[in-house]
Amino acid sequence: MIIPSSILTLLVGIGITLVSLWYGQNHNLLPVAASAEAAEVDGLFNLMITISFGLVLLVEGVLLVSLIKFRRQKDDTTDAAPIHGNIPLEIVWTAIPAVIVLGIGIYSFEIYNNMGGLDPMASGQHSMHAHGKIKGSAIAAPLIDGQQPPEFTQIALGIGASPAQEGKVAAVNVDVTGLQFAWIFNYKETGITSGELHVPVGQEVQLNMTAQDVIHAFWIPQLRLKQDTIPGRITELRFTPSKVGTYPVVCAELCGGYHGAMRSQMIVDTPEDYAAWVAENAVASATNLQQAVAINPAELPDGEFLAPYANEMGINPNVIAQIHHQ
């Protein structure tokens, strides 16, 4: 039985579509997703893999069929019939890529907006204000006495608050400084300074980032987020970690001879573990603790020197006072 070409084309199209859909959801090319934002990025990546794999099967399949079906026959020395000017075919292979690119562009724009990438406050007035406070920074526009500075055009620089979180302060705020060749994390609310990033799972985190020397790129693949850190500018990155674990922090910008060694790690803790880490490191970073260590015990009066030991031994302070007077 000879199958009509239209039905055969339909069956091949259905087969390619099903295989592409399966591979697009089962390629296992991405690392584990550890943030709420990662799901949307993965969805876009899976769509592009599905379309790309389908096109590969279609193009390579047509080539393979052509090699077999239209191969040169024995003793045939004639030239093939020239084909040109097929308007419908040219419209099809121009329109399909155009529609695909346009669709992916709109989908990407929507995801970027949902993640907060279009939040003007990410680099708006507060960033320009911060820029003016940075040593060595300057505004290259003359100011006339009595006039207000011109309004700056607000351009998003980083991933800010998503539309659902707009106007809300993130649960955890961390200042991040990139320098050759390390990342420094400063928790201003607790005074903690660390070489690794600790965040609680399920709570929104905001990183306010800058660079001390050259441009670096803060990248955590498991978050599906990357943001440049720029000397003299404040960039922002907001995300919500969704999976407890330890994830690498790498610099994705060639920043010098030891660029490859510029690595750290992000530890996503449970809320209880994060609170314990904050309590432990806040005590270690406290200024008054350093002052207490600097006291010379030999210069203390006998009563103050013996008081901690008396409490541990259960001796009444009145007894020590009576001994002192005797």
Side-chain angles (χ1 to χ4, degrees):
M1 183 181 66
I2 300 177
I3 302 176
S5 60
S6 57
I7 295 179
L8 184 60
T9 302
L10 178 62
L11 293 176
V12 170
I14 293 175
I16 291 177
T17 301
L18 293 177
V19 173
S20 301
L21 288 173
W22 177 85
Y23 184 73
Q25 300 298 320
N26 299 276
H27 51 77
N28 295 324
L29 296 176
L30 295 174
V32 62
S35 72
E37 292 76 9
E40 294 196 81
V41 178
D42 287 358
L44 175 61
F45 187 80
N46 292 343
L47 174 63
M48 292 191 293
I49 287 291
T50 300
I51 295 174
S52 301
F53 193 67
L55 291 176
V56 168
L57 292 179
L58 178 63
V59 173
E60 298 301 325
V62 170
L63 285 175
L64 184 61
V65 170
S66 299
L67 286 174
I68 298 175
K69 185 175 181 179
F70 302 108
R71 68 185 184 277
R72 185 176 181 178
Q73 301 297 320
K74 184 179 180 180
D75 300 330
D76 183 4
T77 59
T78 61
D79 294 331
I83 299 175
H84 60 85
N86 193 325
I87 301 300
L89 183 59
E90 292 182 359
I91 291 176
V92 169
W93 71 38
T94 301
I96 291 178
V99 171
I100 292 175
V101 171
L102 182 61
I104 291 177
I106 295 174
Y107 187 25
S108 305
F109 184 87
E110 184 64 20
I111 291 176
Y112 192 55
N113 184 37
N114 292 338
M115 293 172 60
L118 300 181
D119 177 17
M121 289 306 294
S123 65
Q125 294 176 348
H126 73 290
S127 291
M128 294 304 300
H129 180 68
H131 174 75
K133 290 185 176 181
I134 296 175
K135 184 178 181 181
S137 62
I139 300 175
L143 299 178
I144 302 175
D145 293 341
Q147 292 187 357
Q148 296 295 325
E151 292 291 336
F152 293 101
T153 302
Q154 294 186 343
I155 303 174
L157 189 59
I159 302 296
S162 63
Q165 299 295 325
E166 192 170 354
K168 300 178 182 177
V169 179
V172 179
N173 285 268
V174 185
D175 290 344
V176 182
T177 302
L179 67 161
Q180 294 175 319
F181 299 93
W183 297 106
I184 304 298
F185 304 98
N186 180 258
Y187 297 73
K188 288 197 299 185
E189 296 177 352
T190 57
I192 297 174
T193 299
S194 174
E196 60 186 18
L197 178 63
H198 277 257
V199 294
V201 66
Q203 299 184 27
E204 192 177 34
V205 178
Q206 176 173 327
L207 305 181
N208 305 304
M209 302 186 292
T210 188
Q212 191 178 72
D213 35 42
V214 299
I215 295 177
H216 303 277
F218 184 91
W219 182 34
I220 301 178
Q222 287 75 11
L223 299 183
R224 311 290 192 267
L225 294 174
K226 182 175 75 68
Q227 177 59 50
D228 285 350
T229 62
I230 306 169
R233 297 294 301 269
I234 303 294
T235 57
E236 181 179 312
L237 196 61
R238 289 179 69 148
F239 60 93
T240 303
S242 61
K243 192 180 293 291
V244 174
T246 301
Y247 308 104
V249 177
V250 299
C251 178
E253 189 82 36
L254 182 59
C255 59
Y258 296 96
H259 158 73
M262 189 171 174
R263 302 176 66 88
S264 181
Q265 58 184 7
M266 180 185 74
I267 295 95
V268 180
D269 296 317
T270 62
E272 295 77 15
D273 291 343
Y274 177 72
W277 179 83
V278 170
E280 179 182 355
N281 287 272
V283 171
S285 302
T287 304
N288 56 358
L289 180 63
Q290 298 175 359
Q291 292 174 347
V293 172
I295 294 176
N296 185 0
E299 298 176 355
L300 293 175
D302 293 341
E304 295 184 13
F305 179 79
L306 295 174
Y309 304 100
N311 292 332
E312 293 179 359
M313 298 173 65
I315 300 176
N316 192 323
N318 294 330
V319 175
I320 298 178
Q322 293 176 3
I323 295 175
H324 178 72
H325 290 296
Q326 292 173 358

